[in-house]
Amino acid sequence: MTIRVRQNAPRTMEFTATAEGHSLPLAMPQPQGDGPDPHDYFDTALGGCKALTVLWYAQRKEMPLESIDVDVVRDASEERKGVYRLTAKLTLHGELSDAQIDELHSVAEKCPVHKLMTAVDVQVSTLVVRPQ
């Protein structure tokens, strides 16, 4: 899959990313821009993955999870020192037992994006090409 990022107009700090046929706005964070910025999408990927993974698992196991809310709290105060902290707060709605909540918590810790962010050697290559 290729995600395309295109500048909306010359000399602007506003872009549109396209992924799977969906458009996503992209800009600088405030005060320079209106966002959402790349960090927002990074953090969103974690929250979205946890929500989808937990809901999918609960449905598969026929647990009474009615819905899930995820708040991702960012602490980037030490990012320049190499520490970027994210806390994912899950609110599980439904008549769940303590054991089911514990099981779903464990599942959330294993979502693919969580693993990607914490346990995988991500290798990034950057190529510069001339326009054709």
Side-chain angles (χ1 to χ4, degrees):
M1 174 175 79
T2 299
I3 295 174
R4 301 178 70 88
V5 178
R6 299 293 183 260
Q7 193 171 13
N8 293 353
R11 293 183 290 284
T12 67
M13 296 297 281
E14 296 177 356
F15 294 79
T16 299
T18 306
E20 298 286 329
H22 297 276
S23 295
L24 308 164
L26 180 64
M28 292 291 288
Q30 293 185 2
Q32 300 96 342
D34 293 328
D37 71 8
H39 284 81
D40 295 331
Y41 285 115
F42 184 82
D43 304 352
T44 298
L46 179 66
C49 186
K50 287 186 180 294
L52 291 165
T53 300
V54 168
L55 187 58
W56 171 82
Y57 183 88
Q59 288 176 346
R60 199 174 113 233
K61 294 290 188 172
E62 298 182 356
M63 291 181 179
L65 178 63
E66 294 171 9
S67 65
I68 179 172
D69 298 325
V70 180
D71 294 325
V72 178
V73 179
R74 173 192 312 156
D75 176 358
S77 62
E78 296 184 52
E79 181 180 359
R80 292 192 183 265
K81 295 178 184 176
V83 179
Y84 188 80
R85 292 181 182 88
L86 297 175
T87 301
K89 297 180 180 181
L90 281 59
T91 304
L92 306 176
H93 302 274
E95 297 297 322
L96 297 161
S97 69
D98 290 342
Q100 289 171 322
I101 290 171
D102 289 344
E103 187 174 351
L104 293 174
H105 177 251
S106 176
V107 167
E109 291 285 298
K110 297 174 187 165
C111 85
V113 172
H114 184 127
K115 286 182 186 178
L116 188 64
M117 291 178 169
T118 61
V120 175
D121 178 19
V122 177
Q123 299 179 1
V124 178
S125 298
T126 303
L127 306 173
V128 177
V129 298
R130 293 189 182 275
Q132 296 182 20

